[in-house]
Amino acid sequence: MSWRFAALPPQDGYHMVTSFVSVADYVSRGGKDTLMVFYAKEPFVNVGVNQEVWLEVNLDFTKQHNIPVVRRDLGGGTVVITPGEHDFFIVIKQEEAPSDPQSLYKKYLTPIVNVIRSYGLDAQLRDQDIVVNGKKISGNGAMTYEKAVVIAGNILLSFDADFVSKCIKVPSEKFRDKIAKDMSEWLTSMEKELGYVPDRNELNKKIKEEFEKELGIKFEDSSLTPEEIELWDKLAEEKKREEWIYYKDNRHPDLRTDRCVKISSAVAVCHVDYKARKLIRITVKIVNKKIDEVSISGDFFLMSPKGFLDRLEDSLQGIEVSKINEKIDEVFSSEKPVIFGFTADDLKKAFEEILNKPEIREII
């Protein structure tokens, strides 16, 4: 089986997060499966499609230092992308991809694991991440687009924990120092492990060899088609629009709290962070024992169906708090979402945590 291998020049953040869409469009129309490799021209903050920017990003710092905030089409958490990464995008026909996320990651990330191991490091696949001695060296995610599946990921070549911590929203400066320390403890890089940064051309050669060996394919070196590049540029321009970057924020402009507040004897706004396999962040306004508005965000991966999260939020709006579980079961049963990171039961437990807050108990 023949695949395309495209080693592209460094890209800005908007092109970084849209590259796979134009390629997925090409693959969906019968084009060859494709593996692309490239890296960022400059640092940018990369927010997951299911996240709210105001909850995740230190906007004072990013605006002061002209660091772009870019919302991608993939799930997962907020990450700060720098030229210290080596990024890859695997785009394959949907019928070739395993239907469950764990099998998908195992099949297509094993070659990357083997590349890291070729440098003498004990790399292991853990869920969708790759770790060395328990520390993450590669973060990855997946999504479906038309008739294609995309796996996007990176290999950390070098990493500046202090810089990254300044881009992320935290409760206090003391906590920021802790975050930087924690990141240094649970993230690693090729430079940290080896004492040097591997040559990118050498990495690309190893990546090609491992994919060919593991998947039984042959690569042809390729560039993208003129049609792909035209669509890519168009999509990158669209990603610069604030309507997209702040989409989740603007959907719920009145739900801006990271705590629980009783507003009156009938009204309260409450936020909880609930840790399932991934983080679920729920902010809800309750009026007269009914959900007036709700925002569900987090670093989970929603692979299908498209728009499920918006429809879930809309379906909960206006229902009595006693019927939340019933409505969640109904929506999950009818839409059968493929989610990596939480289940319907996790979501119900998160709402239960909200309903048990003193501020909420007083009004229901």
Side-chain angles (χ1 to χ4, degrees):
M1 187 188 299
S2 178
W3 281 39
R4 294 190 306 172
F5 184 88
L8 304 175
Q11 304 292 329
D12 63 45
Y14 307 104
H15 281 84
M16 287 286 290
V17 303
T18 51
S19 59
F20 62 84
V21 180
S22 60
V23 177
D25 179 72
Y26 158 85
V27 171
S28 293
R29 290 184 285 104
K32 290 185 176 183
D33 293 342
T34 302
L35 173 57
M36 293 182 293
V37 290
F38 52 90
Y39 60 98
K41 272 184 188 176
E42 58 194 4
F44 66 97
V45 182
N46 188 5
V47 179
V49 68
N50 302 313
Q51 294 189 301
E52 293 183 78
V53 174
W54 79 271
L55 274 171
E56 311 292 346
V57 182
N58 180 5
L59 290 169
D60 291 338
F61 180 81
T62 56
K63 287 175 180 176
Q64 182 183 347
H65 293 84
N66 297 315
I67 300 167
V69 176
V70 182
R71 180 184 294 278
R72 62 185 182 271
D73 288 300
L74 282 167
T78 294
V79 291
V80 181
I81 306 296
T82 73
E85 293 184 12
H86 197 63
D87 297 272
F88 57 84
F89 295 84
I90 305 156
V91 188
I92 51 176
K93 297 175 183 65
Q94 194 167 16
E95 65 265 22
E96 298 170 10
S99 57
D100 69 290
Q102 283 185 312
S103 298
L104 178 76
Y105 290 130
K106 183 177 181 183
K107 180 174 181 178
Y108 292 104
L109 293 179
T110 294
I112 302 297
V113 171
N114 293 343
V115 168
I116 297 169
R117 285 180 179 173
S118 74
Y119 287 93
L121 303 178
D122 182 22
Q124 305 288 337
L125 184 61
R126 187 173 66 191
D127 291 333
Q128 80 273 33
D129 296 327
I130 300 170
V131 299
V132 171
N133 300 322
K135 296 182 178 183
K136 184 162 81 170
I137 198 168
S138 170
N140 308 280
M143 69 171 289
T144 55
Y145 181 88
E146 294 182 355
K147 297 178 183 177
V149 172
V150 180
I151 302 100
N154 60 53
I155 300 172
L156 285 177
L157 302 186
S158 59
F159 182 71
D160 184 344
D162 288 332
F163 172 75
V164 170
S165 71
K166 289 173 183 173
C167 296
I168 298 170
K169 184 175 179 180
V170 294
S172 66
E173 287 307 311
K174 185 177 179 181
F175 193 80
R176 191 180 307 284
D177 293 339
K178 182 182 183 304
I179 286 285
K181 182 174 181 293
D182 287 348
M183 279 193 290
S184 296
E185 289 176 354
W186 55 261
L187 286 172
T188 191
S189 66
M190 299 294 277
E191 182 179 42
K192 190 172 179 181
E193 297 295 328
L194 300 174
Y196 68 94
V197 175
D199 177 74
R200 291 185 193 268
N201 291 328
E202 178 186 83
L203 267 175
N204 289 345
K205 183 171 181 290
K206 286 175 177 283
I207 289 170
K208 288 170 69 176
E209 289 171 353
E210 290 298 337
F211 269 87
E212 288 183 335
K213 187 165 65 177
E214 279 290 324
L215 301 182
I217 61 172
K218 287 297 291 182
F219 279 119
E220 60 178 47
D221 289 329
S222 174
S223 56
L224 304 188
T225 66
E227 292 79 13
E228 285 172 288
I229 293 169
E230 182 182 356
L231 177 57
W232 188 9
D233 287 339
K234 175 175 173 286
L235 293 169
E237 282 300 313
E238 290 175 357
K239 284 289 180 283
K240 294 177 182 178
R241 292 167 41 224
E242 292 211 345
E243 297 95 318
W244 165 253
I245 298 168
Y246 296 97
Y247 156 69
K248 285 287 288 184
D249 304 59
N250 294 337
R251 182 170 159 80
H252 305 287
D254 299 325
L255 294 184
R256 295 289 180 90
T257 183
D258 51 10
R259 57 196 180 98
C260 288
V261 181
K262 180 183 173 185
I263 297 171
S264 72
S265 60
V267 180
V269 179
C270 190
H271 174 91
V272 299
D273 288 345
Y274 183 85
K275 189 72 173 79
R277 289 190 75 175
K278 290 289 184 179
L279 185 67
I280 311 170
R281 309 187 93 165
I282 299 177
T283 312
V284 62
K285 182 180 181 183
I286 294 173
V287 178
N288 294 322
K289 301 181 182 180
K290 291 183 179 181
I291 292 181
D292 183 71
E293 189 174 2
V294 61
S295 171
I296 302 169
S297 63
D299 60 359
F300 47 84
F301 295 86
L302 173 59
M303 295 186 68
S304 66
K306 189 173 181 180
F308 171 77
L309 207 59
D310 289 354
R311 291 192 295 278
L312 175 62
E313 291 177 346
D314 291 342
S315 72
L316 291 168
Q317 197 166 323
I319 70 163
E320 294 178 13
V321 295
S322 61
K323 295 183 178 177
I324 290 173
N325 288 358
E326 183 182 326
K327 178 57 70 173
I328 289 172
D329 284 336
E330 177 189 316
V331 175
F332 271 70
S333 177
S334 65
E335 298 224 15
K336 297 178 174 57
V338 179
I339 300 171
F340 186 82
F342 75 89
T343 64
D345 284 341
D346 291 322
L347 192 59
K348 288 186 281 188
K349 287 174 186 173
F351 273 103
E352 184 181 334
E353 190 172 307
I354 286 177
L355 299 182
N356 282 327
K357 294 285 185 183
E359 296 85 354
I360 302 297
R361 290 178 69 87
E362 287 178 20
I363 68 164
I364 62 172

